[in-house]
Structure formats: structure tokens, C-alpha cells
């Protein structure tokens, strides 16, 4: 399929030089670059961490537990395992 793409002059000149140096065509260079970009974008999507899945239960905070006091909260957790 044919299409028209506007590129900065310096990028096009560098791409043409690279194509000649690698004994390739500008078309082949652009095609390889697009395929690589799309492949990497797909793998980046697959590597994303899943979002946090919050689990909630009824009941609230146990009596005597202060959520602002990390030390006493840690002690309460150890006692009630």
C-alpha cells in the first residue's frame, strides 16, 4: 500500500544514508522500523503490572487498634496471627 509521510529533512537524509550503507532500501528500513516498534509495543503491553486488586471485608477496625500507630499495629498483628 502506498502512503505519504512527512519527515524532518535531517531524519530523511540520515535514513537514506543508513539504507545505502546497509545495502538496503529506504522502504525496507522503514518497514523494519515499524515492525520492530509494533512488536516492542506489544511486549511492553504484556509486561505491564496488573492493577491492585483491593479485597474488602465487613467488620472494620478491631477494638483497641490505632491505624495511625504502626508499632502497636504491628504488635497486634503478631499477637493475633
Amino acid at each position: 500500500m502506498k502512503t505519504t509521510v512527512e519527515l524532518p529533512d535531517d531524519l530523511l537524509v540520515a535514513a537514506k544514508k543508513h539504507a545505502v550503507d546497509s545495502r538496503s532500501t529506504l522502504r525496507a528500513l522503514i518497514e523494519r522500523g515499524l515492525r520492530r516498534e509494533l512488536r516492542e509495543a506489544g511486549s511492553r503491553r504484556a509486561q505491564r503490572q496488573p492493577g491492585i486488586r483491593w479485597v474488602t471485608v465487613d467488620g472494620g477496625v478491631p477494638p483497641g487498634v490505632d491505624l495511625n500507630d504502626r508499632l502497636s499495629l504491628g504488635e497486634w498483628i503478631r499477637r493475633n496471627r
Side-chain angles (χ1 to χ4, degrees):
M1 176 183 294
K2 288 187 176 192
T3 190
T4 303
V5 178
E6 292 185 30
L7 299 172
D9 291 341
D10 60 325
L11 179 60
L12 183 59
V13 169
K16 285 182 177 182
K17 286 180 182 177
H18 182 78
V20 169
D21 291 344
S22 62
R23 297 179 184 237
S24 183
T25 63
L26 182 59
R27 179 180 187 259
L29 178 68
I30 291 171
E31 185 178 344
R32 282 194 313 269
L34 283 172
R35 288 187 189 282
R36 183 180 302 127
E37 179 65 27
L38 292 173
R39 185 175 53 247
E40 289 174 3
S43 67
R44 281 193 301 264
R45 232 179 286 120
Q47 291 175 355
R48 283 191 199 150
Q49 295 288 335
I52 295 174
R53 186 174 152 257
W54 294 100
V55 177
T56 59
V57 294
D58 292 335
V61 179
V65 173
D66 180 7
L67 296 179
N68 294 319
D69 184 356
R70 295 176 75 187
L71 183 61
S72 66
L73 181 58
E75 289 172 7
W76 184 90
I77 290 171
R78 280 188 287 285
R79 280 193 315 266
N80 294 288
R81 280 191 177 170

